[in-house]
Amino acid sequence: MSITLYWYWTTNPQKIRMALEELNLKYTLENINIGKKKHLTKRYKRINPMQEVPALAIDGGILWQSGAALEYLAERESKLQPQDPFNGRSLLFLEASAVQRLAGVHFIQKKINPLIRKKPNQEAINIANLKLEPIYAILDQQLQKHDYLCGDFSIVDCAYAPWLPYLDLERWDSLLEYRRRIKGRASWKVCGFRD
């Protein structure tokens, strides 16, 4: 049965694409150009009721939240599961509930605004940085014990990876090394992350 990732080069779709690459699964990319508002069509609303990217069509169903798609892929393939399932789930939901919103400020201000010829809002970045500090401390604690957030590379790393190029990590040596390791993976290169 075929797998289709409704995708754009932005952060959330890249999480799923990275996992698909890590799992060596064959899939088709369908580009949903949000710059041209392709996500707002009636056709795409039937695929993703939130009219956002990504969506993953797999096994006769559609997963339209990136975290749900990551969990499904790991369970389906019995690979990329966090070695510590309790910590792994907590970190996965932390990314979805807090990191995504705060790292999204960095992404919008540092990547999207320059693309649309808009000046980045440094105050917004500073506020996001302050709120990210306790999260960085949690991630740092994990990376003191392992090369990846939950031991071996897992879907948790797929969730965090697309945000790493945009975050101010200079004070966190463990996170800088983690970013370097992630960027060295073959899946990173195939995904063509824009940093």
Side-chain angles (χ1 to χ4, degrees), residues 83-176:
Q83 287 173 299
D84 177 347
F86 297 101
N87 214 20
R89 280 192 176 88
S90 295
L91 288 170
L92 195 62
F93 280 81
L94 177 66
E95 187 278 330
S97 64
V99 174
Q100 195 170 129
R101 178 175 43 85
L102 297 168
V105 172
H106 284 260
F107 178 71
I108 289 166
Q109 297 303 326
K110 295 176 182 177
K111 186 66 183 178
I112 302 300
N113 278 358
L115 287 175
I116 60 173
R117 296 182 177 87
K118 189 174 175 185
K119 188 177 177 183
N121 180 337
Q122 190 59 48
E123 185 181 352
I125 293 169
N126 293 343
I127 291 168
N129 275 337
L130 281 174
K131 292 180 179 178
L132 280 163
E133 283 292 306
I135 295 170
Y136 291 159
I138 292 167
L139 301 181
D140 176 73
Q141 188 175 22
Q142 290 298 115
L143 294 167
Q144 297 296 328
K145 298 180 272 187
H146 310 290
D147 282 347
Y148 296 101
L149 288 172
C150 293
D152 293 336
F153 186 91
S154 73
I155 56 168
V156 177
D157 302 295
C158 293
Y160 283 82
W163 303 113
L164 295 174
Y166 309 105
L167 298 175
D168 298 331
L169 302 176
E170 290 71 26
R171 290 177 54 257
W172 300 91
D173 289 342
S174 61
L175 288 166
L176 288 171

Side-chain angles (χ1 to χ4, degrees), residues 9-26:
W9 60 263
T10 51
T11 48
N12 283 329
Q14 293 284 43
K15 300 172 188 178
I16 301 173
R17 188 174 184 194
M18 192 172 198
L20 290 167
E21 288 294 329
E22 290 281 343
L23 292 165
N24 293 312
L25 293 173
K26 290 183 178 169

